[in-house]
Amino acid sequence: MEIIRVHNLVKKYDGLTAVDHISFSVKRGEIFGFLGPNGAGKTTTINILSTLLQPTEGEVYVNGFNVITQKNKVRKSIGLVFQDPSLDDRLTAEENLYFHARLYHVPHDEYQKRKEEVLRLVELWDRRKDLVKTFSGGMKRRLEIARGLIHHPAILFLDEPTLGLDPQTRSHLWSYILKLKEEKQMTIFMTTHYMNEAEYCDRLIIIDYGKIVAFDTPTNLKKAVGGDIIIMESPEPQKLKSELKQKYSLEAKEENGGITIEISNGKTFLPRLFDELETKVTSVSLREPTLDDVFLHLTGRKIRDEEASPLDRLRQHHFRRHR
Amino acid sequence: MEFRRTVEAAAAIWQREFIRYWRDKTRIISTIIQPLMFLIIFGTGLRSTLARGNFGLDFVQFMFPGIIAMSIMNVSFFSTISTVWNREFGFLKEILVAPISRISITLGKIFGAVTIASIQGFLLLILAPLLKIKLHPLNFPYLLLFMILVAFSLASLGLLIASLMKTTESFGLMMQLLIFPMFFISGAFFPLTSVPWWMRLLAAINPLSYGVDALRQILLRYQTSGEALKSVSLHPLAVNALFLLIFSTIIVMMGAIAFNKKN
Ligand SMILES: Nc1ncnc2c1ncn2[C@@H]1O[C@H](COP(=O)(O)OP(=O)(O)OP(=O)(O)O)[C@@H](O)[C@H]1O
Ligand SMILES: [Mg+2]
């Protein structure tokens, strides 16, 4: 059962193609992820799916409605947590929710019930009468999520929901999101930079320069890398490389002074390697592939190379807000 | 049903504007102090030098209606700047993605600005007795009507411009190119009855000049000689009201179309 269907979507800004002929569909009730570096086209896609932006080409259906000709019906079906803060910080938490509920025509007694429900969910019930100005970044983020939920949308869009949050708040937030999915059978469409967050998704798209480079479950994507990863250090890296090639026909990669190989069953391979290897090795580590490796594998680049650290982004964020 | 929803959404947006205004006491106070300072400094300065004798009107009394109009203009424009401002700060997106008609956003914004500007004008009016201007109770409905009309036409204009502009910078520039000429050629400082033709022409398309003209005639009609007042007035009240009404209607429609197109 498809709840979002995107066919050959293109978005051009003047000369730049931000989204380049992408097609995919999202199933009802799943957590669907968009993973990619800065400027990949994630926010642009969300803006088109949520009617904020006109596509240049292509067809998009959300909850069965066309995003160009049935805007209002699409808008009624969705909740959105924007990448950039969008609360009114001169209003209280409650007033922000009330305003939202009125725009979405939530009946008044329904609103009273849901207000308590969502505020308790994000643990802001006690702070409901406080001005948003006095909230921390994490509290604001949680309030935005509560706000996105109060009209019971069929689909919740989360554009980097945990941006600028500390790891603890981040994992907390994730437990809310997973709970929501369970309890409300809500479809969640999210974007992220964080590889470990992409792992929460049922299915995920890796997007780069506006193009889909991969589309599968996180587990399958990791399988595509070619199994486990063994990293070795040696005083004679060239010798090690050629020995690996000769004995096991393994293409080893040299990276930051380490020699890396991908092997399908690392745990059983390691003991054998120790027995047979002649070249001196000073350290060995074994790990399972991560989505970082998937991205590297697919694009030849590391996702983090071209982006600011989360802390920098948070700073920028504050700068933008308080300018 | 659709109509009710439009009204409901506009009311929500209006209420938000009002709450924001009411919470910001510094802004309320500064928007009262600024025009008063203007009045005291300019009024007193000019009274003691230039405007003595043949004028027939006290200069501070002459300027007061213009100052009220200026204050209304500032508030109306400032409130619509917040549309652009919100675009940058994200809150506008929250409104734009909601299942409400674009017209309800336009109306909510404009009525919000009108309410705030009228309150501001009203607060200044209360200070009139300090300037030896008697506030005749019969005048209140008229004054209020014209304050609302002026606020309505300027808030619509502000929203139209805000919808046409892309950044706060260009909006600021436009406002500078607009606010000062509009204010100086409004009749607030000097009567427009005997100025050169080009200035009369500009005044004729300046909604503020109709507002100032009307407010002055109403405020001073029970306390100055009809002759003196007549010598500085441009149009009958009904003409002023009609112009402002037509101007607002046209601009509000253009504003709604521009806003709709943009978003
Ligand atoms: N309004 C705009 N005008 C012109 N170019 C734009 C505009 N918005 C985005 N772009 C460009 O489109 C591309 C995709 O931007 P988008 O915001 O969708 O990226 P993103 O994947 O969300 O990145 P991030 O992780 O930084 O949020 C970028 O190259 C960006 O510069
Ligand atoms: Mg983005």
Side-chain angles (χ1 to χ4, degrees):
Chain A
M1 182 61 194
E2 293 173 353
I3 197 161
I4 297 176
R5 192 157 60 80
V6 175
H7 185 69
N8 256 328
L9 177 64
V10 179
K11 176 69 195 181
K12 291 189 176 134
Y13 293 112
D14 301 323
L16 180 108
T17 307
V19 173
D20 196 358
H21 295 91
I22 62 173
S23 303
F24 61 89
S25 53
V26 178
K27 293 182 207 152
R28 195 177 288 276
E30 74 177 334
I31 298 186
F32 191 87
F34 243 55
L35 176 78
N38 279 149
K42 305 181 293 295
T43 301
T44 303
T45 307
I46 285 206
N47 283 346
I48 292 170
L49 265 52
S50 59
T51 75
L52 282 174
L53 208 60
Q54 198 80 1
T56 310
E57 260 177 60
E59 273 177 29
V60 181
Y61 289 88
V62 172
N63 205 17
F65 305 116
N66 187 304
V67 294
I68 300 170
T69 56
Q70 296 170 295
K71 285 196 165 75
N72 247 20
K73 290 196 164 119
V74 172
R75 288 173 183 151
K76 273 181 199 152
S77 317
I78 62 174
L80 238 167
V81 176
F82 299 99
Q83 180 171 356
D84 295 320
S86 67
L87 293 165
D88 185 334
D89 54 11
R90 289 203 217 148
L91 299 188
T92 64
E94 202 172 36
E95 284 166 346
N96 267 288
L97 293 187
Y98 181 56
F99 179 77
H100 186 88
R102 284 179 78 186
L103 293 189
Y104 284 78
H105 311 291
V106 179
H108 198 264
D109 34 344
E110 261 306 295
Y111 160 72
Q112 294 296 344
K113 264 191 355 224
R114 293 186 200 172
K115 173 181 74 179
E116 177 156 2
E117 182 189 310
V118 293
L119 282 176
R120 287 202 189 282
L121 179 74
V122 298
E123 294 175 2
L124 285 173
W125 178 246
D126 298 334
R127 300 291 306 263
R128 65 188 184 280
K129 303 266 185 221
D130 294 347
L131 289 182
V132 171
K133 248 195 319 216
T134 66
F135 281 16
S136 75
M139 290 161 73
K140 285 182 187 161
R141 212 67 191 139
R142 270 147 52 202
L143 182 60
E144 286 188 301
I145 292 176
R147 184 180 68 179
L149 292 172
I150 204 161
H151 59 285
H152 286 181
I155 308 159
L156 182 64
F157 286 95
L158 301 168
D159 198 355
E160 302 194 30
T162 55
L163 179 75
L165 303 187
D166 60 59
Q168 196 189 345
T169 317
R170 212 187 291 171
S171 73
H172 220 97
L173 206 57
W174 268 107
S175 54
Y176 296 141
I177 293 174
L178 295 173
K179 195 157 96 188
L180 276 176
K181 182 199 162 190
E182 285 298 302
E183 284 179 5
K184 311 236 181 263
Q185 256 99 66
M186 196 178 288
T187 308
I188 293 170
F189 185 108
M190 55 161 289
T191 76
T192 185
H193 274 82
Y194 299 115
M195 294 292 178
N196 56 345
E197 281 187 350
E199 317 245 352
Y200 291 109
C201 299
D202 294 308
R203 289 188 307 154
L204 111 115
I205 278 179
I206 297 182
I207 182 171
D208 193 25
Y209 294 119
K211 289 200 175 75
I212 295 178
V213 292
F215 179 17
D216 212 328
T217 63
T219 324
N220 283 344
L221 285 174
K222 282 185 271 182
K223 269 190 203 143
V225 174
D228 299 330
I229 291 162
I230 296 172
I231 306 158
M232 285 171 279
E233 277 172 36
S234 161
E236 303 159 291
Q238 291 315 317
K239 188 168 165 219
L240 181 61
K241 264 170 103 172
S242 55
E243 191 183 353
L244 286 168
K245 175 130 201 205
Q246 222 177 6
K247 281 199 176 126
Y248 313 101
S249 21
L250 283 170
E251 260 339 308
K253 273 184 262 173
E254 201 169 349
E255 198 183 284
N256 306 329
I259 299 293
T260 308
I261 50 176
E262 283 169 12
I263 184 101
S264 55
N265 209 340
K267 282 176 193 141
T268 53
F269 180 70
L270 259 191
R272 218 180 113 200
L273 190 67
F274 285 154
D275 283 344
E276 301 170 358
L277 211 58
E278 280 159 18
T279 319
K280 194 170 146 81
V281 169
T282 51
S283 88
V284 178
S285 62
L286 167 75
R287 62 181 176 82
E288 293 185 344
T290 64
L291 286 168
D292 272 305
D293 301 310
V294 177
F295 192 81
L296 180 67
H297 183 81
L298 290 169
T299 64
R301 290 174 293 126
K302 281 198 167 175
I303 196 167
R304 303 222 180 271
D305 286 351
E306 51 209 300
E307 65 170 3
S309 73
L311 192 66
D312 285 342
R313 288 171 62 84
L314 185 62
R315 274 194 209 114
Q316 269 173 16
H317 223 68
H318 275 283
F319 178 67
R320 235 181 290 152
R321 279 188 65 71
H322 298 296
R323 199 168 42 176
Chain B
M1 195 61 203
E2 200 46 50
F3 176 73
R4 233 195 83 204
R5 297 202 144 183
T6 302
V7 172
E8 238 176 72
I13 292 167
W14 173 85
Q15 191 185 16
R16 166 177 173 262
E17 299 282 323
F18 184 74
I19 293 175
R20 281 170 68 89
Y21 167 74
W22 200 242
R23 291 238 163 100
D24 196 350
K25 296 290 190 283
T26 350
R27 184 178 146 205
I28 299 181
I29 290 169
S30 81
T31 41
I32 291 179
I33 287 181
Q34 193 216 4
L36 277 186
M37 259 168 34
F38 232 82
L39 189 63
I40 290 165
I41 295 169
F42 257 91
T44 324
L46 289 176
R47 172 161 59 190
S48 60
T49 54
L50 302 175
R52 203 176 282 230
N54 62 359
F55 204 46
L57 269 177
D58 176 65
F59 199 74
V60 175
Q61 288 193 345
F62 173 82
M63 261 183 71
F64 183 58
I67 293 292
I68 292 181
M70 177 186 83
S71 172
I72 290 175
M73 171 168 79
N74 279 346
V75 176
S76 311
F77 277 150
F78 184 84
S79 303
T80 41
I81 290 183
S82 71
T83 311
V84 189
W85 195 261
N86 286 341
R87 180 192 306 283
E88 296 198 343
F89 279 2
F91 191 78
L92 189 65
K93 275 201 223 154
E94 148 79 357
I95 298 179
L96 288 177
V97 81
I100 57 175
S101 64
R102 307 296 99 168
I103 194 81
S104 56
I105 303 176
T106 320
L107 291 180
K109 277 277 171 192
I110 288 178
F111 282 116
V114 168
T115 309
I116 294 166
S118 308
I119 294 175
Q120 203 70 41
F122 191 79
L123 290 176
L124 282 173
L125 262 188
I126 292 174
L127 300 169
L130 289 180
L131 306 164
K132 304 198 187 67
I133 296 170
K134 289 189 211 74
L135 280 183
H136 201 287
L138 277 180
N139 278 341
F140 264 94
Y142 290 98
L143 289 170
L144 205 63
L145 173 75
F146 274 97
M147 291 197 307
I148 290 173
L149 281 174
V150 172
F152 194 50
S153 53
L154 296 176
S156 314
L157 189 60
L159 196 84
L160 173 64
I161 294 166
S163 306
L164 298 175
M165 294 287 148
K166 285 208 174 91
T167 61
T168 323
E169 285 78 29
S170 55
F171 190 81
L173 181 71
M174 190 71 198
M175 286 288 137
Q176 295 305 316
L177 290 177
L178 207 69
I179 280 188
F180 284 110
M182 272 179 85
F183 181 49
F184 288 125
I185 310 178
S186 70
F189 282 119
F190 47 86
L192 295 166
T193 37
S194 49
V195 294
W197 64 270
W198 60 268
M199 212 185 260
R200 285 195 87 133
L201 198 69
L202 287 176
I205 52 166
N206 179 1
L208 205 60
S209 75
Y210 294 84
V212 171
D213 191 44
L215 289 177
R216 180 174 295 133
Q217 289 180 46
I218 300 167
L219 261 172
L220 301 180
R221 65 181 164 189
Y222 295 124
Q223 45 211 316
T224 38
S225 75
E227 278 304 302
L229 194 55
K230 213 168 173 187
S231 70
V232 295
S233 304
L234 290 173
H235 316 285
L237 285 185
V239 171
N240 286 324
L242 201 65
F243 177 89
L244 289 172
L245 206 60
I246 294 172
F247 181 89
S248 312
T249 314
I250 295 174
I251 299 293
V252 83
M253 285 195 293
M254 284 167 68
I257 292 168
F259 186 80
N260 201 9
K261 215 169 165 180
K262 177 153 194 169
N263 301 295

